[in-house]
Amino acid sequence: YTRQFNFVWTVNWRFIGDRVFASHEWALILAAAHIALLVALAVVVWPRLSHSTLPTIVRQGFTRRAHSDVSATEVAVVVFSANFVGVVCARSLHYQFYAWYAHMLPLLLVHARLPLVAVPVVWLVIECAWNVFPSTHTSSLALLAAHIVILVGIFRAPTHAKLS
């Protein structure tokens, strides 16, 4: 964790200041949060998609079967939610990163089962935050808040939230 990131281009953590942003401790906090959230997804969210348990999913993953009960949407939710956690915990998101995850937002917003009115609001907040140049404390906080709303929604999505 010795790589130094350029604070001038950051969009997601502008509000914490350059000193904290560049600190080794901040890098460790983000790495720990990333790992913790991935483990939480694997234990809480992903098994819920298939109405199973993590050990069963792992065991079935090593079993050769001609037919799979896993839908393409469920696979997309797993991949997109894992990637989204990486976005939320990234040390520095630069402007080009929005193109990297913008395509995931519609599915994640639907899966998060947010109130209907909240979906376009959250999406608009993210879009507006990414269109502020250079980023500000306000745009950075707005982006983080929108990301947290989606993340909480993913964790709170009901067990029966089948999308396909």
Side-chain angles (χ1 to χ4, degrees), residues 1 25-40 85 89:
Y1 297 113
E25 293 79 15
W26 182 244
L28 292 176
I29 289 168
L30 289 174
H34 190 179
I35 292 166
L37 286 168
L38 285 174
V39 168
V85 163
C89 297

Side-chain angles (χ1 to χ4, degrees), residues 48 75 91 95 111 121 123 142:
R48 207 179 322 160
V75 171
R91 189 162 181 193
Y95 286 93
H111 178 70
V121 170
W123 200 352

Side-chain angles (χ1 to χ4, degrees), residues 3 7 11 14 22-23 35 44 50 54 84 92-93 95 97 105 107 113 117 122 126 129 148 150 153 159:
R3 181 175 176 194
F7 182 72
V11 177
R14 170 76 57 197
S23 73
I35 292 166
V44 175
S50 61
L54 185 59
F84 187 68
S92 183
L93 293 178
Y95 286 93
F97 282 97
L105 292 175
L107 179 63
R113 300 288 196 234
V117 71
V122 170
I126 291 171
I148 289 172
I150 295 171
T159 306

Side-chain angles (χ1 to χ4, degrees), residues 52-150:
S52 191
T53 63
L54 185 59
T56 303
I57 292 170
V58 170
R59 192 171 36 260
Q60 288 175 347
F62 289 104
T63 305
R64 191 177 250 193
R65 295 183 346 184
H67 173 71
S68 174
D69 297 331
V70 180
S71 73
T73 303
E74 290 168 343
V75 171
V77 168
V78 169
V79 173
F80 287 2
S81 60
N83 192 46
F84 187 68
V85 163
V87 168
V88 172
C89 297
R91 189 162 181 193
S92 183
L93 293 178
H94 301 222
Y95 286 93
Q96 69 271 22
F97 282 97
Y98 187 44
W100 181 53
Y101 81 102
H103 65 283
M104 303 182 316
L105 292 175
L107 179 63
L108 291 177
L109 284 164
V110 168
H111 178 70
R113 300 288 196 234
L114 299 174
L116 188 56
V117 71
V119 172
V121 170
V122 170
W123 200 352
L124 185 61
V125 167
I126 291 171
E127 185 68 29
C128 289
W130 279 104
N131 280 289
V132 172
F133 181 80
S135 64
T136 64
H137 287 71
T138 303
S139 65
S140 179
L141 279 168
L143 182 64
L144 180 61
H147 284 168
I148 289 172
V149 167
I150 295 171

Side-chain angles (χ1 to χ4, degrees), residues 3-27 30 90-94:
R3 181 175 176 194
Q4 289 298 315
F5 291 86
N6 194 341
F7 182 72
V8 71
W9 294 111
T10 190
V11 177
N12 56 332
W13 299 113
R14 170 76 57 197
F15 63 92
I16 66 170
D18 193 9
R19 189 177 60 76
V20 173
F21 176 83
S23 73
H24 180 69
E25 293 79 15
W26 182 244
L30 289 174
R91 189 162 181 193
S92 183
L93 293 178
H94 301 222

